[in-house]
């Protein structure tokens, strides 16, 4: 014997039912109302909505089936904002008051999404350190204050999480890794998109989790234009980094990186997912992270400023990276954050005041490229008269090639390794 089935969900004494069209919803409403009465249950007509609707409130949440969104009612937003303002302005806050805020934020997941876990770490940590529920905080810790201010300033804008995000269904997959010398990453589906960079002395001394998390951030920054409005799956061999991207960290510097990752994804409509993989399955990213570019050098900043004033202003650094560029605009050997292009030789150098501090092996190709482009700029070369490139610069003893308009010898500074003898 066949029966018509009407799907519904009941929580304590509140229920809701959903259907594909208005006719089915109207029929289900009549049948379910009749079934409740036949079961001896009494309905509260003041609270019941028997007419089908596409936008309605249930269990303190506005359900919008037109846009597939969950929203928080404005009255609840105003209430929690008042509670947060009270805590921020108070010098004596009880753990019960913090727990109320924590409970409300935890209930926001359907309406806000991933930020709920990322921006409540300090709140739940402070509560977990209580001696008793009757206890108080004499002052709000700075990290907790920052977290509460985030909700105070942004809750209204985050309200309305779409359960059907407007991003690609098939994710772009990226592998990242970090070592003691640098970071690396690559797209599984895109050839020749290798991302690489070196750590500063300070960064190389940080924890492995800091470096792995930073690698994810820097790879995202480098690729942000490719990733807009897409779903991205990042593979890393660091379990800690994968988790922190999703839920944050109590450690201040790690939490800041997680927040930076969230901001990039939020602004660019990127849905990010992280997954741990064994190190043996991450070898390509591992090799990229350990790559040392022996030609990665630059002129001492003081000398650059002097030449910038004398022969500039320069507009673009043709051989650099985000961590050693002398100018805001630059080209790089590998993909890295803010680079305008990978491989400077693929660009037209005309109409620019070029700053060129290239690897020694590229001096002759640089001269050829500048000649083809009829480019202008300042070119730093080592003063090596026996080198193979020297005849291209000095055609005769004491006489420069016609393309050299001016020259300056930069002597090595005493007790310094930053500047070589030119």
């Amino acid at each position: 014997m066949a029966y018509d089935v009407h799907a519904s969900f009941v929580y304590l004494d509140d229920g809701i039912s959903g259907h594909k069209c208005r006719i089915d919803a109207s029929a289900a409403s009549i049948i379910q109302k009749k079934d409740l009465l036949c079961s001896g249950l009494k309905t509260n007509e003041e609270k019941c909505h028997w007419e089908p609707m596409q936008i309605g409130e249930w269990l303190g949440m506005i359900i919008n089936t037109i846009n597939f969104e969950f929203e928080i009612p404005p009255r609840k937003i105003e209430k929690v904002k008042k509670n947060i303002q009270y805590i921020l302005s108070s010098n004596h806050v009880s753990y019960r008051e913090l727990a109320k805020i924590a409970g409300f934020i935890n209930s926001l997941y359907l309406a806000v999404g991933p930020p709920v876990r990322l921006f409540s770490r300090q709140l739940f940590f402070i509560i977990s350190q209580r001696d008793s529920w009757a206890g108080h905080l004499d002052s709000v810790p700075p990290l907790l204050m920052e977290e509460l201010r985030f909700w105070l300033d942004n809750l209204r804008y985050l309200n309305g999480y779409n359960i059907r995000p407007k991003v690609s269904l098939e994710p772009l997959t990226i592998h990242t890794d970090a070592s003691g010398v640098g970071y690396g990453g690559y797209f599984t589906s895109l050839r020749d998109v290798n991302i690489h960079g070196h750590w500063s002395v300070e960064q190389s001394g940080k924890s492995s989790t800091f470096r792995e998390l930073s690698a994810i951030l820097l790879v995202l920054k480098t690729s942000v234009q490719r990733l807009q409005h897409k779903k991205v799956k990042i593979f890393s061999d660091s379990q800690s980094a994968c988790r922190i991207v999703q839920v944050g960290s109590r450690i201040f510097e790690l939490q800041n990186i997680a927040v930076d990752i969230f901001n990039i994804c939020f602004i660019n409509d990127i849905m990010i997912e992280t997954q741990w993989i064994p190190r043996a399955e991450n070898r390509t990213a591992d090799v990229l992270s350990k790559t040392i570019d022996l030609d990665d050098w630059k002129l001492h900043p003081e000398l650059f400023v002097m030449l910038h004033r004398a022969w500039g202003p320069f507009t673009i650094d043709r051989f650099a990276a985000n961590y050693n560029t002398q100018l805001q605009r630059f080209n790089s050997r590998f993909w890295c954050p803010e680079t305008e292009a990978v491989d400077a030789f693929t660009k037209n150098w005309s109409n620019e005041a070029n700053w060129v501090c290239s690897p020694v092996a590229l001096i002759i190709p640089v001269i050829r490229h500048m000649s083809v482009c009829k480019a202008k700029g300042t070119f730093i070369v080592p003063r090596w008269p026996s080198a193979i490139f020297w005849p291209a610069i000095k055609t005769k003893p004491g006489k420069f090639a016609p393309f050299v308009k001016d020259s300056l010898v930069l002597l090595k500074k005493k007790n310094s390794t930053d500047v070589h003898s030119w």
Side-chain angles (χ1 to χ4, degrees), residues 339-350:
T339 184
E340 286 195 3
V342 172
D343 188 354
F345 295 121
T346 63
K347 309 301 289 185
N348 187 340
W349 293 12
S350 61

Side-chain angles (χ1 to χ4, degrees), residues 47-171:
K47 294 184 177 181
C48 291
H49 298 276
W50 298 108
E51 284 297 316
M53 53 186 174
Q54 292 179 296
I55 301 176
E57 184 176 337
W58 187 64
L59 296 180
M61 195 76 69
I62 297 174
I63 303 173
N64 186 328
T65 60
I66 299 174
N67 298 328
F68 286 87
E69 290 179 348
F70 287 89
E71 299 177 15
I72 313 158
R75 67 178 186 279
K76 295 187 73 173
I77 292 179
E78 293 305 316
K79 181 178 179 180
V80 74
K81 285 178 68 174
K82 287 181 180 178
N83 290 339
I84 292 175
Q85 287 172 337
Y86 169 76
I87 290 174
L88 291 174
S89 61
S90 177
N91 294 324
H92 198 64
V93 182
S94 72
Y95 286 107
R96 292 186 185 278
E97 290 168 334
L98 289 178
K100 289 180 182 179
I101 299 294
F104 178 80
I105 292 174
N106 202 41
S107 71
L108 298 179
Y109 192 87
L110 283 175
V112 174
V116 166
R117 298 184 73 183
L118 184 60
F119 293 98
S120 61
R121 297 284 295 186
Q122 286 297 320
L123 183 56
F124 281 98
F125 174 70
I126 294 295
I127 294 172
S128 70
Q129 300 301 300
R130 71 188 185 281
D131 294 325
S132 69
W133 283 112
H136 289 76
L137 283 176
D138 292 330
S139 62
V140 180
L143 293 182
L144 176 57
M145 185 175 294
E146 184 177 325
E147 209 167 70
L148 293 174
R149 287 195 181 280
F150 170 83
W151 291 109
L152 186 65
D153 298 335
N154 297 291
L155 182 54
R156 187 180 299 277
Y157 305 104
L158 294 172
N159 189 22
Y161 186 61
N162 197 314
I163 60 175
R164 189 175 61 182
K166 299 177 182 178
V167 297
S168 61
L169 296 178
E170 289 297 324

Side-chain angles (χ1 to χ4, degrees), residues 101-269:
I101 299 294
F104 178 80
I105 292 174
N106 202 41
S107 71
L108 298 179
Y109 192 87
L110 283 175
V112 174
V116 166
R117 298 184 73 183
L118 184 60
F119 293 98
S120 61
R121 297 284 295 186
Q122 286 297 320
L123 183 56
F124 281 98
F125 174 70
I126 294 295
I127 294 172
S128 70
Q129 300 301 300
R130 71 188 185 281
D131 294 325
S132 69
W133 283 112
H136 289 76
L137 283 176
D138 292 330
S139 62
V140 180
L143 293 182
L144 176 57
M145 185 175 294
E146 184 177 325
E147 209 167 70
L148 293 174
R149 287 195 181 280
F150 170 83
W151 291 109
L152 186 65
D153 298 335
N154 297 291
L155 182 54
R156 187 180 299 277
Y157 305 104
L158 294 172
N159 189 22
Y161 186 61
N162 197 314
I163 60 175
R164 189 175 61 182
K166 299 177 182 178
V167 297
S168 61
L169 296 178
E170 289 297 324
L172 285 175
T173 55
I174 302 174
H175 288 244
T176 70
D177 200 9
S179 67
V181 296
Y183 66 92
Y186 70 95
F187 284 76
T188 308
S189 57
L190 298 177
R191 293 183 178 180
D192 301 325
V193 183
N194 292 332
I195 301 163
H196 164 73
H198 289 157
W199 300 127
S200 66
V201 174
E202 180 184 1
Q203 289 172 323
S204 64
K206 297 287 187 179
S207 67
S208 60
T209 302
F210 175 93
R211 296 195 302 268
E212 295 282 2
L213 200 58
S214 296
I216 295 174
L217 172 62
L218 291 167
V219 168
L220 284 174
K221 280 186 174 182
T222 302
S223 316
V224 68
Q225 292 184 341
R226 291 188 180 90
L227 303 180
Q228 287 179 337
H229 315 296
K230 289 182 174 62
K231 184 177 181 180
V232 179
K233 191 167 187 176
I234 294 182
F235 292 95
S236 170
D237 55 26
S238 169
Q239 293 182 346
S240 298
C242 288
R243 178 171 174 75
I244 290 171
V245 170
Q246 303 296 336
V247 303
S249 172
R250 293 201 305 267
I251 300 174
F252 180 69
E253 62 181 4
L254 300 183
Q255 175 70 2
N256 280 345
I257 299 173
V259 170
D260 287 342
I261 292 172
F262 165 77
N263 288 335
I264 289 174
C265 294
F266 182 77
I267 293 170
N268 294 281
D269 190 24

